[in-house]
Amino acid sequence: MKKKSSFSTQGQRADIGSLVIYRVLPNRYADAVGPFVFLDHIAPKVQTKINKEGTGAHPHRGIATLSYILNGEDEHFDSAGNYALVHSGGVQWMNAGNGIIHDETLNYDSKTDSKLTHAFQFWINLPAKIKAEKPGYLAIEGRDVPFKELPDGSGWVKVIVGSFEELTSAIPTYSAQFLYHIHLEPGAAFAIELPDKVEVAAYLPTLQAIINDEEFKAGDFIEYDRTAGSIEVKNKGQEACDILLFGGEPYPEPIVAEGPFVMNSKAEVANAYRNFYNGDYGKIDYDKQRAGM
């Protein structure tokens, strides 16, 4: 049985500098999908000059940030001393744990002739016990993201988080969760069965698609019911289309989110701010981190 859509909506503009950004999650209908509590879509753009400012150094606590770079290169810095530059198709994952400061800069890919930039950032809520641990970090280049061709040249699936069939991502998980990038050629279809109680949503970043016999347009975020069933995606268009499918088991603990912090109580959020203003999260040494790459 095919799962039924609960609602669909579009993201709201939340631009940073020259980046055109659509804030897809949270929205007026949903605060989370499984452990995913945030999704920004950095829209496709031809970049004509190098971005040297980044998003600006800022704190996080209680979540893992995940940046998925479709096109371009993403430079990561944080106050734990982690640094990496990943290119088109790559992933930056950072467990903010008990507090960290980080910064990211998205530019066009220096390894190719393309000036196109296009990316996503997710926040993944952490269990309370992981929120109390030290931060962690992982960078994955595009060639190392688990990848599978679909039958008859109809497209492919990339496993950014979790597992799909024989593929498993290197991104650490602390609950049942998944994030798939599905690419379908014109006329192609993809289907997946999901168990009972799993929360799942689809996002169409650039083109329309038919999902469980309903037609959705570019920019649509669609959440589905929590009963066992299938998700079937069809591309009836003239161009190849992309779909992000993500979710997981419901987050079982209280969620209190404010600014860059996602904790389990208001007192914990207040403490997160207090620690940040006290300087407990450290500082980023940009020059030292670049020099040590």
Side-chain angles (χ1 to χ4, degrees), residues 100-141:
I100 199 169
I101 296 172
H102 86 140
D103 194 1
E104 285 185 277
T105 303
L106 179 64
N107 282 300
Y108 55 78
D109 196 332
S110 62
K111 290 187 174 182
T112 71
D113 294 329
S114 174
K115 296 294 190 288
L116 182 66
T117 57
H118 187 195
F120 303 91
Q121 184 170 87
F122 290 84
W123 293 2
I124 304 171
N125 202 359
L126 299 172
K129 64 179 182 180
I130 307 299
K131 294 178 189 287
E133 294 183 356
K134 292 182 179 180
Y137 174 75
L138 183 63
I140 302 174
E141 281 286 18

Side-chain angles (χ1 to χ4, degrees), residues 72-228:
E73 61 182 35
D74 185 62
E75 190 174 27
H76 169 98
F77 305 85
D78 67 46
S79 57
N82 298 303
Y83 172 85
L85 186 66
V86 302
H87 301 83
S88 299
V91 180
Q92 303 262 24
W93 176 88
M94 182 187 74
N95 175 349
N98 60 8
I100 199 169
I101 296 172
H102 86 140
D103 194 1
E104 285 185 277
T105 303
L106 179 64
N107 282 300
Y108 55 78
D109 196 332
S110 62
K111 290 187 174 182
T112 71
D113 294 329
S114 174
K115 296 294 190 288
L116 182 66
T117 57
H118 187 195
F120 303 91
Q121 184 170 87
F122 290 84
W123 293 2
I124 304 171
N125 202 359
L126 299 172
K129 64 179 182 180
I130 307 299
K131 294 178 189 287
E133 294 183 356
K134 292 182 179 180
Y137 174 75
L138 183 63
I140 302 174
E141 281 286 18
R143 63 180 178 271
D144 298 320
V145 174
F147 170 93
K148 180 173 184 172
E149 296 276 1
L150 295 175
D152 303 319
S154 59
W156 46 257
V157 178
K158 288 184 179 180
V159 179
I160 313 303
V161 176
S163 298
F164 174 72
E165 296 182 352
E166 75 277 13
L167 304 178
T168 299
S169 170
I171 298 294
T173 58
Y174 307 101
S175 64
Q177 56 192 252
F178 59 90
L179 167 56
Y180 307 141
H181 177 184
I182 303 157
H183 179 85
L184 293 179
E185 297 296 331
F190 170 87
I192 185 172
E193 291 286 337
L194 296 168
D196 195 34
K197 298 181 181 178
V198 166
E199 299 178 358
V200 59
Y203 180 64
L204 301 174
T206 56
L207 290 172
Q208 73 278 5
I210 296 172
I211 309 178
N212 285 3
D213 304 319
E214 291 185 87
E215 188 168 345
F216 296 100
K217 58 185 180 293
D220 277 351
F221 167 95
I222 313 103
E223 188 176 282
Y224 288 87
D225 66 41
R226 300 179 185 179
T227 58

Side-chain angles (χ1 to χ4, degrees), residues 245-262:
L245 193 67
F246 63 97
E249 63 182 346
Y251 186 80
E253 298 166 328
I255 301 174
V256 180
E258 184 175 324
F261 305 125
V262 182

Side-chain angles (χ1 to χ4, degrees), residues 45-95:
K45 179 182 179 181
V46 174
Q47 195 169 356
T48 56
K49 62 180 181 179
I50 295 293
N51 173 21
K52 296 182 179 180
E53 300 301 322
T55 56
H58 57 280
H60 284 298
R61 186 165 173 173
I63 56 170
T65 62
L66 185 148
S67 298
Y68 176 38
I69 314 304
L70 266 67
N71 303 95
E73 61 182 35
D74 185 62
E75 190 174 27
H76 169 98
F77 305 85
D78 67 46
S79 57
N82 298 303
Y83 172 85
L85 186 66
V86 302
H87 301 83
S88 299
V91 180
Q92 303 262 24
W93 176 88
M94 182 187 74
N95 175 349

